[in-house]
Amino acid sequence: MKLDGLRDKQLPYVNELRSTFKQHQCHVINAPPGAGKTAIAAYLAQSFANAGMKTVFAAPYVTLVDQTWVRFQEYGMDEPSVIWQKDPRFDERKLIHIASADTLICKDEVLPENTRVLIWDECHIKRADLLQHIHDNPDLKVIGLSATPYPDWMGQTYTNLIKPFTTRDFINDSLLTPFEIYMPNLGENRERMESIKVRQGDYAVGPAAAAMMDAKLVGDIVGNWLKNAVDDRGNHLQTI
């Protein structure tokens, strides 16, 4: 991927990473959804490959593995290798691999031999075994990608936060759509939500889904939407 393929708001992330790359093992690029973190990752992976450095892009979900594999090629990259169970697209000889984080954890050798860089997508989702591998291999460079790098544990691994722009900066440049936030009244569900355990940096899916589907809470969400939503002419919708 060519440098001129990145937008003006993406280049500073790359430049800041370059200027601090040698001083830290683990970096985290913090940018909002829609800012182009995958494009930045593709550019970085190709740059490392051009320098002969094997790079692994780790995704937390299988769907993101396939999406990234397609997107990297749309950015002009040759077909990357894929590390996911017994995927036939795996090719040890290639310098760019897109991997399922869970598959990496299950492997005897977590990363392919001679891997120099790990780009970890959604790095706020904790994978203890992968973190241990990072701590055990100080020569491995790590670049985390996250819109929400807020968990306390991240400060024990990532020592360089790269955030040249805020979400408001992207909105002001018309690169992201402005938004307003309306929060339903949790009422009786507040204590229930506060009791749900957090796993890997997020609510446990089953209990959270059960709480969020409570009839009173869902009804309040619909009521707020009807009260505040507007049609394509800017007219408020009528409540029912």
Side-chain angles (χ1 to χ4, degrees):
M1 184 176 181
K2 297 181 179 179
L3 184 61
D4 58 10
L6 295 179
R7 299 196 299 258
D8 290 342
K9 275 288 189 293
Q10 295 167 341
L11 290 173
Y13 290 93
V14 173
N15 293 335
E16 187 171 335
L17 177 67
R18 281 176 167 173
S19 66
T20 57
F21 192 69
K22 293 182 179 180
Q23 286 74 47
H24 302 267
Q25 179 194 9
C26 299
H27 314 256
V28 57
I29 290 177
N30 176 209
K37 292 188 291 295
T38 303
I40 293 171
Y43 172 78
L44 291 172
Q46 189 62 65
S47 298
F48 292 131
N50 292 343
M53 301 169 65
K54 183 175 288 188
T55 300
V56 173
F57 179 100
Y61 309 115
V62 174
T63 53
L64 292 179
V65 171
D66 284 330
Q67 289 177 18
T68 305
W69 185 77
V70 171
R71 290 290 298 279
F72 273 25
Q73 292 176 81
E74 290 176 347
Y75 291 134
M77 185 184 297
D78 291 336
E79 184 175 305
S81 168
V82 172
I83 303 175
W84 175 56
Q85 297 185 359
K86 296 182 180 181
D87 196 297
R89 293 170 291 181
F90 174 71
D91 187 342
E92 173 71 33
R93 299 167 297 177
K94 293 189 175 182
L95 292 177
I96 299 176
H97 299 260
I98 300 173
S100 158
D102 290 330
T103 297
L104 292 177
I105 292 169
C106 293
K107 291 167 62 67
D108 293 333
E109 295 294 332
V110 175
L111 296 175
E113 187 177 2
N114 299 321
T115 297
R116 300 281 301 281
V117 180
L118 171 65
I119 301 177
W120 188 346
D121 192 24
E122 306 292 352
C123 63
H124 56 274
I125 300 176
K126 191 174 185 179
R127 295 288 194 277
D129 291 344
L130 196 52
L131 286 170
Q132 187 61 54
H133 181 80
I134 292 170
H135 293 160
D136 291 343
N137 293 272
D139 291 333
L140 175 68
K141 291 290 188 177
V142 181
I143 304 167
L145 308 175
S146 177
T148 55
Y150 305 139
D152 293 340
W153 64 264
M154 292 187 69
Q156 302 172 17
T157 300
Y158 296 93
T159 57
N160 186 31
L161 175 65
I162 299 174
K163 186 180 180 179
F165 304 110
T166 65
T167 300
R168 174 55 57 186
D169 292 327
F170 284 94
I171 292 174
N172 289 344
D173 284 356
S174 300
L175 296 172
L176 292 179
T177 302
F179 58 87
E180 296 180 4
I181 298 175
Y182 298 94
M183 183 175 180
N185 181 7
L186 290 177
E188 297 175 358
N189 284 280
R190 182 178 300 281
E191 184 176 346
R192 186 176 177 186
M193 290 299 296
E194 291 175 348
S195 68
I196 296 174
K197 293 182 179 180
V198 174
R199 297 174 184 169
Q200 298 178 339
D202 206 346
Y203 285 119
V205 175
M212 295 304 292
M213 287 306 293
D214 182 273
K216 293 181 180 178
L217 181 59
V218 173
D220 197 29
I221 293 172
V222 173
N224 270 285
W225 184 83
L226 290 170
K227 178 181 178 181
N228 295 288
V230 296
D231 61 20
D232 55 4
R233 296 182 180 181
N235 300 315
H236 279 275
L237 300 178
Q238 298 296 315
T239 57
I240 58 175

